[in-house]
Amino acid sequence: MTANAADRPARLSEAIRAELRRAFRWPFETPIVVATNGTMMTLAWFLLPPSLINLLFSFHGPLAYPMILALWMYADVPATNLLGSDGRRSIGLLDDRRALRHSQRAKNLVLWLLVSPLAAAIAIVVGVHGRHPLATIFTALWIMVVPLGALGVSAWLGVFFPYHPVGLKRRWRHRRPFRRKIVRWLILVTAPWMLVPGLVVLISLPAVALWVATYQSWRGQRIPDGYFVGGVAMGCLSAVLCWIFGPRLAARFARRRRDRLASFLADPDRG
């Protein structure tokens, strides 16, 4: 199966326009996922008792809220299942690494447009109210840059383990073999909850190491501006590298696996 010209974007801008059109038509998967995750996180942050908040969230303070909000909104299947979400079109891109890179980056950027500007705006409002201008600027910078680096790598999961987004009734009706059709699917739809935050932690590991090593009260108190700025700068540098090389490697992996991927993506009943 080959892709037509509209499915093989020659430029990133073309791919972004195409993905924006797909995102805002039925079934509105990406906007619904982002809104649902953001609502759940906000309710947990403001309504749960302190003991459960401390269990769910390691970092606290007003500026931690928009950072964690962004992570929750990113941590779902639009960050990982980039090939399986549109199997027919993906098949036609498997032999064109440039078009595949454009497609991944476009999907990442559409998700980014739905999450980071909103979370960064919240950070600015919170920071202005709290009168911490330097920390506010670098919090917004972290929100705009670091998760994008994680998205550049999280798509690897969908290259090695894609799945078809079929309805629950159809999936249950074709549930045999159960381990491949149901258990594998459940693992893959929940994996982003751990994978995306885990990648952000890896990207931010130099910053976290700096904070833990130099500021003993990092868990329960606001990190001083100097420590925070240095950590964010290191995290942004790592994220830029991941964003540059992550999609390139994903396209290379997909090309090497194109026969297996094409066979799987062509048959929604395979899981």
Side-chain angles (χ1 to χ4, degrees), residues 128-228:
V128 169
H129 183 266
R131 298 183 180 179
H132 300 295
L134 189 61
T136 299
I137 292 170
F138 277 85
T139 297
L141 180 64
W142 186 96
I143 290 169
M144 298 296 284
V145 176
V146 172
L148 196 57
L151 294 181
V153 179
S154 63
W156 295 3
L157 179 65
V159 173
F160 290 98
F161 304 102
Y163 70 90
H164 292 277
V166 299
L168 292 177
K169 288 184 178 180
R170 178 176 178 178
R171 185 170 296 278
W172 186 251
R173 192 164 56 245
H174 299 278
R175 61 186 178 275
R176 305 294 181 186
F178 191 83
R179 188 166 70 175
R180 176 161 62 85
K181 295 289 189 66
I182 301 298
V183 176
R184 177 184 182 275
W185 170 73
L186 286 172
I187 292 172
L188 291 176
V189 296
T190 55
W193 302 347
M194 296 171 285
L195 177 63
V196 175
L199 288 171
V200 169
V201 169
L202 284 176
I203 291 171
S204 304
L205 199 57
V208 175
L210 172 68
W211 296 336
V212 172
T214 59
Y215 190 66
Q216 295 181 350
S217 300
W218 65 275
R219 180 178 288 274
Q221 298 182 17
R222 192 178 71 86
I223 298 170
D225 288 352
Y227 295 102
F228 186 73

Side-chain angles (χ1 to χ4, degrees), residues 66-67 70-71 74 108-109 111-113 115-121 123 136-153 196 199-201 203-204 231-244:
M67 297 172 75
L71 282 186
Y74 277 120
N108 290 163
L109 286 169
L111 181 57
W112 178 85
L113 284 169
V115 175
S116 282
L118 172 62
T136 299
I137 292 170
F138 277 85
T139 297
L141 180 64
W142 186 96
I143 290 169
M144 298 296 284
V145 176
V146 172
L148 196 57
L151 294 181
V153 179
V196 175
L199 288 171
V200 169
V201 169
I203 291 171
S204 304
V232 169
M234 289 189 289
C236 288
L237 176 61
S238 301
V240 169
L241 294 174
C242 290
W243 171 246
I244 292 172

